[in-house]
């Protein structure tokens, strides 16, 4: 599968408002809501022939237009799902806990390709943390095992996102399955909330069957993919050039090849200042893990790529032989120039 974004899917999302407005039969053929995702009976009873109702027609056109503009203005990212096999779940959890929850931009378009099931999923994700205002409830089991919904209490690292979802299978590439209304949900790298909310002001917002397993799985998939994007951007050594890609505007340069360097005739006692340029195209080093013949020094936490291709998380530790000397390090973190 190519590392490029699915341009046909992009164009369909961008031109959806025009199709809805001028060629509804083609819109209906291109975009479909899978069975069970909305309460169709109640929706049709309340809305009637919404496609030909001028007020409802214009309302949904406005929603589609907002998504279209958002996609065009967003930073765009893609990764292949096979990158999730590059690290064990336990190590991924450790790495994730070291990353503050964030979106790299206010709006991003994220595409995830899964070659195992021949499926492409894409999302327009908007950070609405500063504007979110709703009464979110989360499920909680009581002493007797019954589930009740209680008021949501966010953790300090929680962000709120609004997400529009699209799915395309290789079996029917001309058809796009959609969640017809944006999903609003909390995302945290330290806590699983298992909850989401729809915007009641949207045309389909009040008719989404939120308790279905399919939609719950989609909610979990969204959180998982946002977490993976954060980790891949924070630890690019996990990804090769075919695993994660993007389109401008993206302030992340392509990774350069790691070049080993050696220093000779160093004094036994030494002090180093290491410049870590957050905007350079450098790559993290890959070593053999051996400390034989090296002076005593501290090793910061990092990811180590194994010969198998998988990565493991290495905790901070000390290594080396004090008899050969001691190396002390400071780190100078460079920001935007």
């Amino acid at each position: 599968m190519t590392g490029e974004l699915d341009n046909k899917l992009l164009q369909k999302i961008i031109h959806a408002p025009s199709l809805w407005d001028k060629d509804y039969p083609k819109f209906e053929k291109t975009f479909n809501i899978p069975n069970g995702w909305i309460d169709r009976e109640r929706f049709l009873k309340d809305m009637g022939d919404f496609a030909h109702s001028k007020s409802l027609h214009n309302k949904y056109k406005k929603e589609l237009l907002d998504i279209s503009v958002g996609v065009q203005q967003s930073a765009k990212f893609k990764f292949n799902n096979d990158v999730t096999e590059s690290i064990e779940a336990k190590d991924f959890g450790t790495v994730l806990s070291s990353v503050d929850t964030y979106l790299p931009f206010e709006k991003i378009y994220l595409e995830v390709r899964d070659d195992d099931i021949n499926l492409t999923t894409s999302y327009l994700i908007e950070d609405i943390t500063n504007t979110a205002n709703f009464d979110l409830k989360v499920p909680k089991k009581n002493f007797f095992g019954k589930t009740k919904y209680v008021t949501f209490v966010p953790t300090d690292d929680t962000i709120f996102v609004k997400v529009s979802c699209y799915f395309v299978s290789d079996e029917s590439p001309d058809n796009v399955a959609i969640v017809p209304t944006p999903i609003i949900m909390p995302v945290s790298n330290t806590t699983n909330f298992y909850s989401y909310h729809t915007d009641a002001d949207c045309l389909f917002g009040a008719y989404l069957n939120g308790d279905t397993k399919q939609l719950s799985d989609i909610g979990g998939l969204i959180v998982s993919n946002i977490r993976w994007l954060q980790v891949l951007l924070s630890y690019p050594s996990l990804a090769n050039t075919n695993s994660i890609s993007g389109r401008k505007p993206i302030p992340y340069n392509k990774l350069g090849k790691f070049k080993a360097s050696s220093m000779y005739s160093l004094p036994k006692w030494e002090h180093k200042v290491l410049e870590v340029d957050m905007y350079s195209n450098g790559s993290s080093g890959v070593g053999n893990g051996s400390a034989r013949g090296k002076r005593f020094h501290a090793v910061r936490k990092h990811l180590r790529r194994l010969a198998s291709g998988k990565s493991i998380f290495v905790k901070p530790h000390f290594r080396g032989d004090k008899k050969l000397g001691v190396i002390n390090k400071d780190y100078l973190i460079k920001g935007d120039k």
Side-chain angles (χ1 to χ4, degrees):
M1 180 67 187
T2 178
E4 298 294 327
L5 290 165
D6 187 335
N7 191 56
K8 288 185 177 180
L9 175 57
L10 264 175
Q11 294 305 316
K12 287 174 183 175
I13 298 172
I14 289 172
H15 294 290
S18 179
L19 281 181
W20 171 262
D21 195 36
K22 300 177 181 179
D23 193 349
Y24 177 73
K26 187 174 181 180
F27 176 91
E28 193 174 33
K29 184 178 179 181
T30 302
F31 298 96
N32 65 86
I33 306 171
N35 291 330
W37 288 17
I38 65 168
D39 187 337
R40 291 180 182 272
E41 183 177 348
R42 185 164 66 91
F43 178 81
L44 293 175
K45 180 181 178 181
D46 292 350
M47 298 297 182
D49 189 6
F50 72 97
H52 298 95
S53 166
K54 187 173 182 179
S55 60
L56 296 178
H57 176 95
N58 289 337
K59 178 181 176 66
Y60 197 52
K61 178 185 175 182
K62 174 65 166 57
E63 294 176 21
L64 294 173
L65 189 60
D66 288 343
I67 293 173
S68 174
V69 173
V71 168
Q72 294 177 69
Q73 294 179 344
S74 65
K76 299 173 178 62
F77 299 86
K78 175 182 179 177
F79 66 83
N80 292 337
N81 193 61
D82 58 7
V83 75
T84 62
E85 300 175 2
S86 64
I87 186 172
E88 299 294 339
K90 179 181 178 181
D91 287 320
F92 177 77
T94 303
V95 172
L96 183 66
S97 66
S98 71
V99 179
D100 290 335
T101 313
Y102 78 105
L103 283 187
F105 294 90
E106 183 180 351
K107 292 182 181 179
I108 65 169
Y109 176 83
L110 174 61
E111 182 180 303
V112 182
R113 172 65 190 179
D114 192 329
D115 289 326
D116 290 337
I117 58 175
N118 298 320
L119 182 71
T120 298
T121 61
S122 70
Y123 316 91
L124 175 64
I125 308 173
E126 180 181 359
D127 187 339
I128 60 168
T129 305
N130 295 328
T131 59
N133 183 21
F134 51 85
D135 183 20
L136 183 63
K137 301 289 185 180
V138 293
K140 183 178 180 180
K141 288 188 177 181
N142 61 20
F143 178 78
F144 299 102
K146 293 184 178 180
T147 300
K148 64 177 182 178
Y149 284 83
V150 299
T151 301
F152 171 75
V153 179
T155 57
D156 291 339
D157 70 327
T158 301
I159 65 172
F160 290 90
V161 295
K162 182 168 72 173
V163 187
S164 300
C165 309
Y166 303 87
F167 308 85
V168 178
S169 170
D170 290 358
E171 295 181 358
S172 52
D174 294 329
N175 298 321
V176 182
I178 61 171
V179 178
T181 183
I183 295 174
I184 298 173
M185 59 195 311
V187 178
S188 164
N189 288 348
T190 60
T191 307
N192 294 318
F193 293 119
Y194 305 109
S195 184
Y196 59 87
H197 176 80
T198 59
D199 189 342
D201 292 333
C202 292
L203 184 64
F204 290 91
Y207 301 93
L208 197 68
N209 287 329
D211 292 332
T212 64
K213 183 179 185 303
Q214 278 184 315
L215 288 173
S216 294
D217 289 345
I218 289 174
L221 187 63
I222 292 170
V223 173
S224 176
N225 286 330
I226 291 176
R227 286 173 170 175
W228 263 104
L229 178 64
Q230 295 175 78
V231 168
L232 290 171
L233 292 176
S234 301
Y235 294 90
S237 60
L238 279 173
N240 57 42
T241 55
N242 293 322
S243 296
I244 181 167
S245 56
R247 285 186 178 180
K248 293 181 178 180
I250 301 172
Y252 301 96
N253 298 327
K254 293 182 179 179
L255 297 177
K257 293 183 178 179
F258 173 73
K259 296 181 180 179
S261 62
S262 58
M263 299 181 182
Y264 302 96
S265 303
L266 290 175
K268 281 187 176 292
W269 292 89
E270 179 189 3
H271 177 268
K272 292 181 180 179
V273 175
L274 305 182
E275 280 196 353
V276 182
D277 190 343
M278 306 301 290
Y279 294 85
S280 76
N281 61 354
S283 176
S284 58
V286 180
N288 60 12
S290 173
R292 289 180 296 177
K294 294 183 179 181
R295 286 163 292 172
F296 185 79
H297 61 283
V299 179
R300 62 188 174 92
K301 61 181 181 181
H302 64 282
L303 288 171
R304 178 183 295 161
R305 181 69 62 88
L306 302 178
S308 64
K310 289 200 172 185
S311 297
I312 61 172
F313 189 80
V314 180
K315 295 180 179 180
H317 62 280
F318 292 95
R319 66 179 359 166
D321 189 346
K322 286 185 178 180
K323 294 179 181 179
L324 299 177
V326 176
I327 297 178
N328 186 31
K329 301 176 182 178
D330 288 340
Y331 293 87
L332 175 61
I333 308 298
K334 295 178 65 179
D336 199 1
K337 297 180 177 67

